[in-house]
Amino acid sequence: PKTHRVMTLADHISHIITQDFARNQ
Amino acid sequence: PCPVAPSSRSSQEVWESFSQCFTPAVKEVVEFAKSIPGFQTLSQHDQVMLLKSGTFQVLMVRFCSLFDPKERTVTFLNGQTYSLASLRALGMGSLLDAMFDFSEKLASLGLEQDEMALFMAVVLVSADRSGIVEVGAVEQLQENLIKALRSLITSRRPDDSTLFPKLLLRLPDLRTLNNQHSEKLLAFRID
């Protein structure tokens, strides 16, 4: 069965920013 | 480019494709921030905090060019145009209404591309300070960017002293948009 991850726009934005800075460390 | 669906797809699938749109847009804001003179002299922590609190607002400014306030339509980068009514099915009606109003006001100022970019830099460094450690450094950067924006605008329109204050009045609008809508839900399918 398909599962879904629901998050707020703000959390989605924070997640991408954290990932970007972690990758460029 | 936003692959918002032809009518055959369920609103859930439409919502997922709409959610996917945000990821590249956010990454572009991060790259934009790094290009702002002085931004990378801030501590990494403060850079991340400013981005977390300001990115949604920068996106709102960037998305303005997609909105046609007169026709009440949104044209995505892939050329697909949608009426406000058809997008309401995504459940973002209140955000879309607010976006149309905001983009109408911003468009009426008639900013050039470089003025818009500098305004977005001011928007980012004017974001909420609650997580910021070195507030002084951020405030100095904000002051420098506001000064640059003011001189750019006044040099091009020496006899229009109202445009710059009108532009700064958009900052509280953006903060309201952020407080009202950044908690909107996105949905991602995990197969």
Side-chain angles (χ1 to χ4, degrees), chain B residues 65-82:
Chain B
S65 57
L66 305 178
F67 281 72
D68 180 336
K70 284 188 203 63
E71 302 298 323
R72 307 299 277 180
T73 59
V74 183
T75 301
F76 289 99
L77 294 182
N78 61 6
Q80 279 176 327
T81 296
Y82 291 84

Side-chain angles (χ1 to χ4, degrees), chain B residues 7-77:
Chain B
S7 52
S8 60
R9 291 172 65 190
S10 71
S11 67
Q12 176 63 35
E13 283 161 337
V14 167
W15 191 239
E16 278 155 25
S17 58
F18 188 78
S19 303
Q20 296 298 348
C21 282
F22 275 95
T23 303
V26 172
K27 286 181 178 169
E28 282 172 23
V29 174
V30 174
E31 290 320 307
F32 169 75
K34 290 174 183 173
S35 74
I36 297 169
F39 185 81
Q40 298 210 62
T41 61
L42 299 174
S43 70
Q44 183 131 339
H45 172 271
D46 286 349
Q47 289 180 46
V48 170
M49 295 314 292
L50 272 179
L51 277 162
K52 285 184 176 180
S53 56
T55 292
F56 181 86
Q57 296 176 61
V58 174
L59 284 177
M60 290 300 102
V61 177
R62 289 197 71 197
F63 288 162
C64 274
S65 57
L66 305 178
F67 281 72
D68 180 336
K70 284 188 203 63
E71 302 298 323
R72 307 299 277 180
T73 59
V74 183
T75 301
F76 289 99
L77 294 182

